Amino acid sequence: LKQAFLAQHESASQLRAVVGHMMACQRIASDGILLLAYGVIAISMLWSRHVQYTWAMGRPDARILGNISHANSAGGANIVTWRSGRMDVQLNGWGTGPLVEQCFAEIADMLEQLPGISIFVFLDMRRGIGSAPRAVHAAFKFLSSYGYRIKRVAVIGPLPIISFMKMVASVAHQEGVDFFFNLAPAEAWLLKEMGRFRNK
């Protein structure tokens, strides 16, 4: 009986050791996942507050005049301005008034650095969900001042966004705007139009 009791006690001790080891591993794994999550959140928060200009000195690609990113809790935008006059604009989420106004102000600054150059915009709104009235007003204000510089705009997005942007282009009397559901045909059309204008 004594030997049976000792064997049972030893088995129980081993079981507790195994369970303790498993719990420790689980805590380490959980802590690792938590740290990873905190890291991702921290990077996202830093990027959301980040506004980056890429200027001439030390630029990896000298063809790029500016690379601007803005984001807040509702949405974000990334604008790459090429010295050729092309602008690649990607919008995500909801366009708030302050965010859109800030973007248009910096686009206007980029245009000032490209005097006499026709502008061609590749506007990717596939991840957009809409805009606040203040943002729409900012768009009309920008087009009334700089719309003549923009020769062609390729708008890519889902049907609700496309319908809304058609209304904006019509009300603003902005010519040279075409609408697409996919990137490839939009890219092909814009490159063709850029080549046609360059060869005039």
Side-chain angles (χ1 to χ4, degrees), residues 16-73:
R16 285 196 297 271
V18 170
V19 171
H21 180 70
M22 291 176 62
M23 292 180 65
C25 291
Q26 186 178 12
R27 284 195 299 271
I28 292 172
S30 299
D31 291 343
I33 293 172
L34 188 60
L35 286 172
L36 178 61
Y38 281 144
V40 171
I41 293 171
I43 292 171
S44 299
M45 291 177 67
L46 287 171
W47 179 250
S48 69
R49 292 176 173 83
H50 179 63
V51 180
Q52 178 180 2
Y53 284 86
T54 309
W55 300 108
M57 299 304 293
R59 183 184 294 111
D61 191 337
R63 297 172 300 171
I64 297 177
L65 177 63
N67 188 343
I68 304 166
S69 292
H70 289 294
N72 56 26
S73 60

Side-chain angles (χ1 to χ4, degrees), residues 34-149:
L34 188 60
L35 286 172
L36 178 61
Y38 281 144
V40 171
I41 293 171
I43 292 171
S44 299
M45 291 177 67
L46 287 171
W47 179 250
S48 69
R49 292 176 173 83
H50 179 63
V51 180
Q52 178 180 2
Y53 284 86
T54 309
W55 300 108
M57 299 304 293
R59 183 184 294 111
D61 191 337
R63 297 172 300 171
I64 297 177
L65 177 63
N67 188 343
I68 304 166
S69 292
H70 289 294
N72 56 26
S73 60
N78 177 251
I79 306 162
V80 178
T81 304
W82 302 80
R83 294 184 181 278
S84 64
R86 171 167 171 157
M87 286 189 171
D88 292 334
V89 182
Q90 185 178 50
L91 304 179
N92 303 303
W94 180 259
T96 63
L99 177 70
V100 173
E101 288 171 349
Q102 192 173 24
C103 289
F104 277 131
E106 288 166 349
I107 291 175
D109 182 64
M110 293 291 106
L111 294 181
E112 294 296 329
Q113 299 182 55
L114 295 170
I117 296 179
S118 298
I119 304 301
F120 301 84
V121 181
F122 189 83
L123 179 55
D124 183 357
M125 303 183 72
R126 292 174 299 160
R127 297 178 181 175
I129 59 176
S131 299
R134 179 174 165 182
V136 177
H137 175 74
F140 286 130
K141 183 178 180 181
F142 174 83
L143 290 174
S144 67
S145 299
Y146 296 97
Y148 72 97
R149 295 281 311 274

